Structure formats: structure tokens, C-alpha cells
Amino acid sequence: MPEPAMTAHRLLEQMNAGATTAEEIASQLIKKAEAAKTLNVFVHLDPDHILGQARAIDARRKAGQPVGPLAGVPVGIKDLLCVEGEPTTCGSKMLKGFKPPYDATVIARIKQAGAVLFGKCNMDEFAMGSSTENSAYGPTLNPWDASRVPGGSSGGSAAAVAADLVPLALGSDTGGSIRQPAAVCGVVGLKPTYGRVSRYGLIAFASSLDQIGPFAHDLKDTALLQAVISGHDPRDATSVDAPVPDYVAAVAQPLDRPRIGVVKEFFGAGLDPEVAAAVEAAVKIYEKAGATIREISLPHSKYGVPAYYLVAPAECSSNLARYDGTTYGHRAEDFSPKYPGEENLPPLLRMMMASRSEGFGPEVKRRIMLGTFALSAGYADQYYNKALQVRRRIREDFDRAFTEVDVLLGPTSPTPAFKLGERTANPLAMYLSDIYTITANLAGIPGISIPCGLTKSGLPIGLQLLAPAFAEETLFRIAAGFERETDWHLKRPHGG
Ligand code: GLN
């Protein structure tokens, strides 16, 4: 019998029944993480700190004091969420050694809920990438096949859950960075509605697209973590002051004959036939369970990738301007003039230039240059403003679709996990990994990826469901309907 996946709800039951303690769980997982070191999942892991948190929770539980909904549950943290006093590098050499003086709101909330903050998870530098190969700290390997990538940019978070090093993890999704790694690592990943979760303390990539969300093995666990991190935060002006529905209850609701739209444009050229077959099989399962299926067209989705690669780099070029070596982050030691003409520049400027060229990796530099160009006088109308018009059209496509169906369905990623190095030389091939996920970010709507199959060679396949803004509850209900009919979420790497 394969070992069952480690879920938060099972661990909570065991801890509440006195069958185990947070300390026991934490110390086992620390050993397991040590043994799985070659996967390169964590960029920072402090056993003493983890055990200290676990002991504190155990003491509260033992004393009969109230404990939160995640009391004693280890959670992996994508390394772009600020944790007070803990290294937070964003996968970049630029922030090596940076220790934030405050907690991100999501971190404060999970601490309040009693979670044990486990390691900081590896990621593509500044969340730019789809494979975690852009990390300054080396790539993470996919637990299902170590010659392959775990997806990205939240590859460390997805791999940590897939390898059962933690039951829950937090990631961020700007164009697909939760859903795509969830799909290729065989776990659940939710990108909430823009504004549902506070971005305060999330190191910004593209502020109009970034959103934090959970990874887990099943929907109940996903809902548990999402419930804790959701809600208004006065420290993030884009966080929405709206009631948070009971997500855990939504998972237990009956499917209730949903109307499901299969997105025509998500089945075009470039889609792996095994992924297509698994998604088509999922549609059949929904049909059998009482769903009404119809085809839906989102005619502007073909412009999603080009629009995203103007909007996201434009915002990144502005957000990343703060890393100039003056206040925090990497500062070059040697900024003596190296190129003709540099001797005429003031030393401060040379210091900034040298710090940025040493601190950032090639993909981040490419994005900064793309974005600076797209925003420059004379080109903004042609590029950035045009991209904003396309963004509106994409949103209108979704608005129209959701007058006819409750959710939209398609593959999450066009292919299963690809080989390490396969797409690094070709940025466009890498960018196309997010072809089905990017439009949800441009429209601000929620999306979830759930396991829906394995390829012949044993690689996970993800099914994506998209819902109208703030309809996460619908996503939970409809995704759970599929989970109940199948056992894909129970499959484990290495024959499990
Ligand atoms: N892969 C996309 C990019 O490189 C999306 C990344 C993300 O969602 N953070 O920008």
C-alpha cells in the first residue's frame, strides 16, 4: 500500500486526539527534508526555529488554551513573503541576506492560526519564470521525476507539498505561478481573485496581477489555508472589503448540476495529446455527475501572452527600480569605471549600475529592459496602452462567458513537466508554459488547478477551473465534485 498523502486535516485530527504532537511532526519532516536535499526545495530551513514554534503550540494545546485552525501544521513559504527576522531572498542574489523587519499579512495570519512556519521555498528570481530554473540558488527538481522541472515560479512550494515535506504551502501567481507548478507536481493550487488576499509584505513583481494562494493535496486542505489568508487588510489598498464565505463548507457541498464551459481556445496547437485526453476524460466525469457541458469561446485569449509580456514587465521595471544598492539589497563593492565614458558618471550612479548588474539574473534584466522600453515616451501608446486595451477585451470575454456558465474548464499547463534545461535557451517557449493561466490574472478572476491524470510515463496532469471574481466558493464546490469521483489526488511520486 502506498503511504497516504500527508494532509493538514489528518494531522490536525491526530494532534487533537493526542496521537501525535506538533513537535513530533516537525522533527520528522525536518529529517525528511534533510533526506530530500537533492530536490533543492528549500532555500532556508532553520530546524531550531521550526521546533520552537511547534513546542509552543504543543504547550498551548496541552494547557487547554485556544489554538487556531492550523495549530501545529507545518506550512512551506515561498521565499517572496516577508517573514520578520527570517532570510527572504525572492530567489535572487539581490536580496541575499535580507531579513525583513516585519511579517507579510498572510504570514501574520497563518501565525495567528497556529501554523508552524517551515522552510522558505525556492522560486524563480522575483517570480519570473515557469520552471524555478531562474533561481539564483539553483533549480528545484520535480519529485515525480528528478530530471524534470517542478514548474514555476512557485516550484519549491509545489514540490514541497508533492514530496510530502509539508502538507500546505503558500505561493504567488502573477501569470500562472501557483496553478502551473501545482499541475506539473500533481497537487492542488489556487489563485484567488485579485483583491481577495492581502499583498502586504509580498515582494512585488507586477502589482496589478500578483496574488498569493495555497498549495495542498486536496480541496479540504486548500480551503482550510485559503480561509485563513483571505479577507480585507487596510495595509493593501487593493484588498477588497467583502465577506469571506465558508470555503471548507463549500468543499462538502453537493456538485448541484453546474454549468461548465469548455474553453475552445485552450485546446489548440501546442497542447500535449496526453494532457488533452486527461482533460477530455475529466469533462466526461463531470457530465456523468450531472453537469451541463457546453463549448465556450474566449476569442481574445490568443492575445493573452503578448499582453501579459507588456503589462507584467512594465510593472516589474517600476517595482524593481527600488533595488539600487543604496538602502537594502546587494551593493557592489567595486564600481570603478569599466567601460568608455563611465569615468564621467558620478560614483553614486556607477554604484547603482554595478549593484543592479551584479544582483539581478538574466531573466530579470530582460524583463526590466522590456518593461522600460514598453513604457518609454513615444512607445507607450503602441505597446503598454495597447496591452491595457487587450486586457479589457479579455476581461469582457470572461464576463460574457460567465453569463452562460458557472465555471470554465481546460488544461492548466499545455504539457506535463518538461526536462531541466529544455526551455532555458528559448524565452518564448518558457513564456508559452502559461498560455492557459495568464488570462485569469489579466482579468483578475480566480482559478484552480487540480490533479486529473498521469501520463504513460507517470507525470501528473492538471485540470484548470476558472470562476467569476470572488466566486472561489464555486471553484471549491465544483472542484470537490471531481475529487470525490476520482483518486488522482491520492497518487504519490515513485509509484505511490
Ligand atoms: N511564468 C510567468 C512569468 O514568468 C508567470 C510568473 C508568475 O506567475 N509569477 O512571468
Side-chain angles (χ1 to χ4, degrees):
M1 268 297 277
E3 245 183 80
M6 179 183 55
T7 59
H9 52 87
R10 204 167 300 133
L11 293 179
L12 284 163
E13 270 166 35
Q14 291 168 356
M15 284 186 279
N16 290 333
T20 187
T21 62
E23 184 178 358
E24 238 169 71
I25 294 167
S27 61
Q28 271 172 23
L29 292 181
I30 290 166
K31 278 194 211 110
K32 204 165 171 188
E34 190 62 40
K37 230 175 172 153
T38 50
L39 292 177
N40 199 27
V41 163
F42 298 110
V43 286
H44 174 70
L45 193 134
D46 178 349
D48 291 338
H49 184 57
I50 296 169
L51 291 170
Q53 297 172 70
R55 279 185 208 115
I57 288 290
D58 285 337
R60 288 184 71 92
R61 213 184 231 116
K62 211 167 155 202
Q65 287 167 0
V67 290
L70 296 176
V73 177
V75 181
I77 313 291
K78 186 176 183 179
D79 203 25
L80 46 46
L81 294 170
C82 287
V83 180
E84 187 184 345
E86 293 283 308
T88 300
T89 67
C90 219
S92 182
K93 195 177 151 193
M94 182 58 94
L95 285 174
K96 193 169 184 190
F98 171 61
K99 290 186 180 169
Y102 67 98
D103 278 335
T105 296
V106 291
I107 297 297
R109 289 194 180 186
I110 65 167
K111 279 184 176 173
Q112 185 68 30
V116 171
L117 271 65
F118 208 75
K120 296 302 283 294
C121 299
N122 199 10
M123 56 180 283
D124 283 301
E125 184 176 8
F126 283 96
M128 297 170 198
S130 306
S131 68
T132 316
E133 292 165 296
N134 294 336
S135 168
Y137 306 98
T140 296
L141 313 182
N142 190 315
W144 293 78
D145 176 347
S147 70
R148 293 175 188 269
V149 303
S153 64
S154 316
S157 303
V161 174
D164 280 322
L165 303 177
V166 281
L168 298 174
L170 287 172
S172 66
D173 190 312
T174 305
S177 280
I178 292 175
R179 290 160 289 159
Q180 183 260 9
V184 304
C185 284
V187 298
V188 180
L190 170 72
K191 180 203 95 76
T193 308
Y194 184 77
R196 177 87 283 182
V197 178
S198 168
R199 293 179 296 109
Y200 178 76
L202 161 75
I203 297 177
F205 161 15
S207 306
S208 78
L209 302 160
D210 298 340
Q211 189 64 194
I212 301 166
F215 286 94
H217 280 293
D218 62 20
L219 289 157
K220 191 171 175 187
D221 269 18
T222 310
L224 195 63
L225 183 51
Q226 182 60 29
V228 169
I229 62 172
S230 294
H232 182 236
D233 176 13
R235 285 188 283 201
D236 170 4
T238 63
S239 104
V240 171
D241 194 357
V244 178
D246 186 342
Y247 297 135
V248 179
V251 171
Q253 276 166 15
L255 191 57
D256 203 17
R257 309 186 79 78
R259 298 168 303 161
I260 298 180
V262 177
V263 183
K264 184 175 145 211
E265 287 77 9
F266 289 3
F267 291 84
L271 177 61
D272 180 281
E274 287 190 90
V275 174
V279 174
E280 280 153 18
V283 172
K284 293 266 176 334
I285 288 171
Y286 271 121
E287 213 165 7
K288 245 182 94 194
T292 312
I293 310 287
R294 59 179 299 177
E295 191 180 80
I296 290 283
S297 173
L298 302 172
H300 296 91
S301 46
K302 58 175 177 287
Y303 305 120
V305 171
Y308 172 88
Y309 278 97
L310 289 164
V311 174
E315 294 183 20
C316 116
S317 70
S318 150
N319 273 328
L320 272 58
R322 71 190 66 165
Y323 305 105
D324 59 10
T326 54
T327 42
Y328 58 90
H330 178 73
R331 179 182 297 174
E333 275 173 19
D334 172 16
F335 45 90
S336 54
K338 286 183 193 63
Y339 303 103
E342 266 196 283
E343 64 283 354
N344 301 323
L345 297 176
L348 178 66
L349 201 56
R350 285 205 313 264
M351 185 280 284
M352 291 177 175
M353 287 166 64
S355 301
R356 286 170 71 80
S357 43
E358 287 173 10
F360 290 136
E363 182 61 29
V364 173
K365 287 178 183 164
R366 175 162 32 237
R367 306 279 179 110
I368 293 173
M369 286 190 281
L370 271 172
T372 309
F373 179 73
L375 287 175
S376 57
Y379 289 104
D381 270 341
Q382 220 171 322
Y383 295 110
Y384 182 67
N385 293 334
K386 193 87 187 162
L388 293 185
Q389 286 171 359
V390 171
R391 187 174 186 178
R392 172 172 287 263
R393 294 273 179 270
I394 287 173
R395 206 197 158 105
E396 289 166 354
D397 280 358
F398 281 118
D399 288 346
R400 211 173 307 119
F402 290 129
T403 62
E404 298 179 36
V405 294
D406 302 312
V407 291
L408 291 166
L409 174 154
T412 307
S413 158
T415 66
F418 46 92
K419 292 264 187 199
L420 286 154
E422 194 181 306
R423 297 185 190 170
T424 40
N426 183 350
L428 193 58
M430 191 68 90
Y431 295 172
L432 288 173
S433 314
D434 298 296
I435 187 163
Y436 309 135
T437 47
I438 269 174
T439 46
N441 300 78
L442 289 167
I445 61 171
I448 196 166
S449 180
I450 57 175
C452 77
L454 290 176
T455 65
K456 279 190 217 68
S457 53
L459 297 172
I461 299 171
L463 175 74
Q464 182 177 223
L465 297 170
L466 303 169
F470 298 100
E472 282 84 359
E473 225 183 338
T474 311
L475 282 184
F476 278 121
R477 189 187 88 237
I478 296 179
F482 182 79
E483 193 179 74
R484 279 194 293 274
E485 299 293 324
T486 59
D487 61 0
W488 298 114
H489 62 291
L490 302 175
K491 303 278 185 221
R492 321 293 319 119
H494 308 303

